[in-house]
Amino acid sequence: ARIGEIIRSTKETDVKVSINLDGSGICDCGTGIPFLDHMLDQLASHGLFDIHIKAKGDLHIDDHHTNEDVALALGTALLQALGDRKGIHRFGDFSAPLDEALVHVVLDLSGRPYLHHNLHIPTERVGTYDTQLVEHFFQSLVNTSGMTLHIHQLSGKNSHHIIEATFKAFARALRKATEYDERRKGSIPSSKGVLSRA
């Protein structure tokens, strides 16, 4: 099984993450941030990944450090689970609608971290969650996983719908990129013959 497991401990947070890329959509996530847990459930369910995340952070200050460190640890676990990336599709894209919202995600498991993000979230919060943290979550995940990620909002007025459509589209694009390409027969999907984070 392609599994990554990471423990990240700082003065601000303690985070434990495991991800199984060949799972069935199980999510056991407790970050202390209810809306983030809801989005992680979308990632597991629509990506068919098994994700287990336990985090304790300085939520008495705000959600920033926990949101960031969960994403950093998840990206590192993803990097570990991917290994040498032999035989995978590498590229993935998906457009996910949620009522009036439509978000398109394209990604490349290239080993090169880059985020393009053009979400226009109309409110500052969804529940207690600061919507600025959405971009920060994906930037942190990109930084440690070595992923190129483009997120494009095509429509949407409701903040919850826009964010949830983003996580669903990301989940399906990542699922596509991490799945095996039978025609590739175990070779590395690069003309260079290597895909690495370095």
Side-chain angles (χ1 to χ4, degrees), residues 137-149:
F137 178 91
F138 284 107
Q139 184 66 68
S140 298
L141 189 148
V142 159
N143 287 347
T144 51
S145 67
M147 176 192 304
T148 296
L149 176 62

Side-chain angles (χ1 to χ4, degrees), residues 33-98:
I33 307 172
F35 186 76
L36 179 59
D37 290 344
H38 180 46
M39 293 303 103
L40 292 168
D41 188 47
Q42 304 309 307
L43 178 55
S45 177
H46 294 281
L48 291 180
F49 309 122
D50 292 344
I51 301 176
H52 300 269
I53 300 176
K54 297 301 174 189
K56 291 183 180 180
D58 54 2
L59 299 179
H60 60 286
I61 297 175
D62 65 12
D63 295 345
H64 184 98
H65 296 142
T66 302
N67 179 87
E68 176 181 31
D69 287 0
V70 165
L72 289 170
L74 181 59
T76 304
L78 174 61
L79 178 69
Q80 185 183 98
L82 283 168
D84 59 16
R85 310 182 192 205
K86 286 182 178 179
I88 64 170
H89 280 279
R90 174 180 164 180
F91 300 96
D93 71 292
F94 198 82
S95 295
L98 182 53

Side-chain angles (χ1 to χ4, degrees), residues 90 184 187-195:
R90 174 180 164 180
R184 192 160 288 286
S187 65
I188 292 175
S190 171
S191 57
K192 297 177 184 178
V194 63
L195 284 173

Side-chain angles (χ1 to χ4, degrees), residues 19-27 43-51 78 170-172 174-176 178:
I19 184 169
N20 179 356
L21 300 181
D22 304 304
S24 58
I26 296 170
C27 183
L43 178 55
S45 177
H46 294 281
L48 291 180
F49 309 122
D50 292 344
I51 301 176
L78 174 61
F170 174 70
R172 289 297 297 266
L174 186 60
R175 173 180 163 186
K176 186 175 181 180
T178 58

Side-chain angles (χ1 to χ4, degrees), residues 10-29:
T10 71
K11 291 182 180 180
E12 298 166 341
T13 64
D14 286 301
V15 181
K16 183 177 182 180
V17 172
S18 71
I19 184 169
N20 179 356
L21 300 181
D22 304 304
S24 58
I26 296 170
C27 183
D28 178 20
C29 295

Side-chain angles (χ1 to χ4, degrees), residues 157-177:
K157 296 180 180 179
N158 180 284
S159 297
H160 190 132
H161 292 172
I162 293 165
I163 299 168
E164 187 167 333
T166 300
F167 273 83
K168 287 178 175 176
F170 174 70
R172 289 297 297 266
L174 186 60
R175 173 180 163 186
K176 186 175 181 180

